[in-house]
């Protein structure tokens, strides 16, 4: 009998085109992917992959099995969804990935309401920024993910996902208390503090619109640490509204800019969603409204 986990590996290689990309999508080590492929070849008695330059490609047998495996895995996923629907909301689990400031604001309220309504369902959280959260969605390690995109940003993360907008949070200029200047350009000669790669890109974008390039001296994803650096007079920054709602240092001053970050909830796969996922989405919609 063919091993389902190995079929998933073969489908990932066919879908992503390389062992490296398949390993990243599945959150496996590359040697583990190669091991699964070798074991699958031994189980089938067929050569499924072959060397092509520095990479590999599927043989005819490999492509045929990958196509059939995709059908098989789709039927297994459908069976799980049907079983979940049959079981209803009496037992089971649902897993959510979300970025830190969402976990620090509206997600706990959604979780508390969900748990009160459905005490038999285990609700599990994973902290993850958008790229990692999308990978978790696509690999089936979470059922839902809270994501963000910045204005004008190309959003390949959302390709193939079913998603809906939860809220738009304003971007704020954050400066030390007592330091004048409500416009970005008034701080062009100050040191700047940035966050993740996407947040850094947004900082560079808004500063470019204001006519200058920021002198970025510090980088951290921790919005508490960012505000501490600002409060200490070591620089200025921009932060989205949820970060300030989760925590605002009393020694910083904030001014809303004419820019907003979009916050989405996303799921992967064809509808209908399992009942527990549907219920969680409803609570996320409700909890995000005050934010």
């Amino acid at each position: 009998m063919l091993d389902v986990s190995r079929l998933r590996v073969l489908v990932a290689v066919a879908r992503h085109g390389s062992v490296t990309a398949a390993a990243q999508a599945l959150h496996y080590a590359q040697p583990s992917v190669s091991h699964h492929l070798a074991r699958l070849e031994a189980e089938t008695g067929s050569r499924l992959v072959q060397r092509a330059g520095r990479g590999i490609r599927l043989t005819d047998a490999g492509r045929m099995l990958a196509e059939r495996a995709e059908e098989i895995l789709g039927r297994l996923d459908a069976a799980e969804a049907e079983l979940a629907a049959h079981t209803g909301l009496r037992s089971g689990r649902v897993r959510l990935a979300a970025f830190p400031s969402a976990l620090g604001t509206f997600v706990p309220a959604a979780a508390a309401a969900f748990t009160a309504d459905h005490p038999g369902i285990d609700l599990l959280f994973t902290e993850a920024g958008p790229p990692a959260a999308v990978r978790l969605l696509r690999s089936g390690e979470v059922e839902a993910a809270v994501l963000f995109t910045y204005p004008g940003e190309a959003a390949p993360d959302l390709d193939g996902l079913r998603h809906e907008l939860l809220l738009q949070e304003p971007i704020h200029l954050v400066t030390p208390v007592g330091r004048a200047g409500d416009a970005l350009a008034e701080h062009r000669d100050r040191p700047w503090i940035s966050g993740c790669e996407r947040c850094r890109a947004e900082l560079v974008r808004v500063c470019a619109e204001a006519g200058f390039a920021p002198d970025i001296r510090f980088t951290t994803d921790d919005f508490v640490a960012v505000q501490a650096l600002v409060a200490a007079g070591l620089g200025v920054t921009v932060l989205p509204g949820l970060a300030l709602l989760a925590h605002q240092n009393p020694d910083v001053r904030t001014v809303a800019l004419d820019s907003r970050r979009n916050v989405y909830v996303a799921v992967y796969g064809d509808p209908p969603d399992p009942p527990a996922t549907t219920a969680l989405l409803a609570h996320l919609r409700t909890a995000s409204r005050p934010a």
Side-chain angles (χ1 to χ4, degrees):
M1 182 179 294
L2 297 178
D3 185 279
V4 172
S5 296
R6 290 170 191 145
L7 291 177
R8 288 194 186 277
V9 169
L10 181 66
V11 168
V13 170
R15 186 176 295 160
H16 298 286
S18 71
V19 168
T20 300
Q24 291 175 343
L26 295 170
H27 297 280
Y28 286 179
Q30 287 187 42
S32 179
V33 170
S34 298
H35 172 75
H36 279 301
L37 290 174
R39 292 293 301 158
L40 189 58
E41 287 186 327
E43 288 175 354
T44 60
S46 300
R47 189 175 183 186
L48 304 176
V49 296
Q50 61 187 29
R51 291 282 177 189
R54 299 177 119 184
I56 64 167
R57 65 184 177 192
L58 298 185
T59 63
D60 289 342
R63 284 192 293 273
M64 181 189 69
L65 182 57
E67 290 172 3
R68 291 284 182 251
E70 198 152 23
E71 294 174 13
I72 292 166
L73 296 173
R75 289 181 179 274
L76 284 173
D77 292 341
E80 288 181 355
E82 289 171 9
L83 181 60
H86 178 74
T87 303
L89 290 164
R90 296 188 298 275
S91 63
R93 73 175 181 185
V94 61
R95 299 162 297 180
L96 174 71
F99 55 92
S101 58
L103 287 172
T105 50
F106 66 89
V107 169
F114 176 90
T115 300
D117 286 351
H118 312 293
I121 304 292
D122 290 330
L123 176 57
L124 306 177
F125 292 151
T126 297
E127 180 185 309
V134 168
R135 290 195 294 271
L136 293 172
L137 263 183
R138 289 184 170 142
S139 64
E141 295 177 64
V142 298
E143 284 71 47
V146 178
L147 315 169
F148 65 79
T149 62
Y150 282 105
E153 177 186 35
D157 294 338
L158 303 181
D159 287 350
L161 303 183
R162 289 186 290 119
H163 60 279
E164 62 179 281
L165 183 67
L166 290 178
L167 60 96
Q168 292 183 305
E169 50 176 333
I171 306 299
H172 295 259
L173 170 65
V174 184
T175 60
V177 165
R179 183 172 293 277
D182 291 351
L184 291 169
E186 294 178 79
H187 302 277
R188 62 190 309 148
D189 296 324
R190 298 280 299 157
W192 285 79
I193 305 158
S194 76
C196 69
E197 183 177 343
R198 297 173 74 184
C199 300
R200 183 188 184 99
E202 174 64 9
L203 171 61
V204 171
R205 186 190 72 81
V206 296
C207 289
E209 288 186 350
F212 71 99
D215 177 15
I216 298 173
R217 303 281 185 88
F218 305 97
T219 301
T220 174
D221 287 340
D222 187 334
F223 52 80
V224 176
V226 168
Q227 293 180 57
L229 291 167
V230 173
L234 296 175
V236 296
T237 193
V238 295
L239 283 175
L242 288 180
L244 295 167
L245 185 61
H247 168 81
Q248 183 162 345
N249 189 305
D251 295 322
V252 303
R253 177 173 177 269
T254 67
V255 178
L257 303 174
D258 187 22
S259 180
R260 291 179 177 269
R261 188 168 80 166
N262 296 324
V263 177
Y264 299 88
V265 63
V267 295
Y268 185 61
D270 295 329
D273 295 314
T277 303
T278 299
L280 177 60
L281 296 180
H283 284 293
L284 287 169
R285 291 184 202 105
T286 300
S288 64
R289 286 174 195 150

